[in-house]
Amino acid sequence: MPWLFDLAPPDPAANLLPCDGIVNDYGPLFAPPEADAHLAALLAHTPWRHDEVVIHGRRITTARQVAWVGDAAFAYTYSGVTRTATPWSATLLAIKRQVEAAIAPISPIVFNSCLLNLYRDGSQGMAWHSDDEKELGPETVIASLSFGAARTFAFRHKRSGEKRKMLLQHGQLIVMRGATQSHWQHALMKSARVHAPRVNLTFRTFRTFGAAG
Ligand SMILES: O=C(O)CCC(=O)C(=O)O
Ligand SMILES: [Fe+2]
């Protein structure tokens, strides 16, 4: 697969997908010392728990750990299991606001939730999927911020099978938007060479279909 970028500082207005969606790379949002501090705080203070998914009718506990945070106690169902959001920590809220400020010129948005993923090492990854739950709406904007070990993130077109991959590094911010979730899957690839943890935050706008409003 071709690499999405090399060493040049990214142009956040550039689209890293060739068609049917938009992925923007903002490069590092934090200098290394600040990114180190965020990684340490997120590792220590997040209520991490192993995720569960239902595959072929069987409930499986994943190696990767997750946390689901939101403005309200949103119930989010993906892979057949429902999770209830817990409140923002001060650190995570500050990070959310920095992400929103960084992307505002291109993607003005206020996120109301965040899915946090912890991969202890390269033996843990995330399988091919799209974030296309109805609660996220069509053309949803998802900001993905990574801390810790650099890991390969890949996209695969649902019809053509065309692939793109990129290395997500400590402090790096990308945005997936437009038709990306309708036409592409993405995955966090496993790697035997990675022995350090990685934390990924995906900021999302979660729509509720309750009676209120
Ligand atoms: O860890 C990552 O970079 C990807 C996470 C992801 O795709 C998700 O949470 O839906
Ligand atoms: Fe995803």
Side-chain angles (χ1 to χ4, degrees):
M1 312 185 222
W3 288 88
L4 286 174
F5 67 91
D6 285 309
L7 294 172
D11 168 9
N15 184 4
L16 304 186
L17 293 181
C19 63
D20 289 344
I22 303 170
V23 174
N24 300 128
D25 178 15
Y26 289 79
L29 184 63
F30 302 103
E34 206 182 351
D36 291 350
H38 283 321
L39 174 63
L42 288 164
L43 283 171
H45 302 307
T46 305
W48 296 112
R49 32 171 294 192
H50 290 277
D51 205 9
E52 291 181 339
V53 294
V54 175
I55 298 172
H56 303 309
R58 290 181 52 214
R59 189 176 281 242
I60 311 263
T61 300
T62 62
R64 153 178 69 82
Q65 294 178 76
V66 294
W68 165 236
V69 167
D71 288 1
F74 303 132
Y76 192 8
T77 301
Y78 60 85
S79 306
V81 177
T82 301
R83 296 112 183 126
T84 304
T86 58
W88 298 97
S89 68
T91 306
L92 199 54
L93 198 56
I95 293 174
K96 176 180 106 77
R97 293 194 173 128
Q98 265 177 280
V99 167
E100 288 165 350
I103 71 174
I106 297 173
S107 298
I109 192 162
V110 175
F111 296 109
N112 65 6
S113 54
C114 183
L115 183 66
L116 299 84
N117 284 290
L118 167 58
Y119 310 85
R120 279 283 162 205
D121 57 39
S123 72
Q124 303 179 353
M126 194 179 292
W128 291 109
H129 70 281
S130 302
D131 295 303
D132 57 1
E133 293 78 21
K134 70 177 189 315
E135 291 89 347
L136 297 177
E139 309 246 314
T140 196
V141 177
I142 297 177
S144 161
L145 181 61
S146 297
F147 294 104
R151 297 284 300 265
T152 301
F153 189 60
F155 291 90
R156 182 174 73 185
H157 195 277
K158 289 184 188 177
R159 282 191 315 278
S160 70
E162 186 175 1
K163 286 183 180 169
R164 290 289 186 275
K165 67 178 181 179
M166 60 193 305
L167 194 64
L168 293 183
Q169 312 205 52
H170 191 35
Q172 185 172 351
L173 175 66
I174 66 166
V175 171
M176 299 185 275
R177 61 190 179 95
T180 304
Q181 305 302 331
S182 302
H183 297 289
W184 297 80
Q185 294 185 309
H186 54 269
L188 202 267
M189 311 310 283
K190 292 181 180 178
S191 166
R193 290 190 301 275
V194 176
H195 303 289
R198 169 177 182 269
V199 169
N200 175 260
L201 317 180
T202 46
F203 294 95
R204 300 158 185 249
T205 44
F206 191 83
R207 307 185 305 172
T208 51
F209 301 94

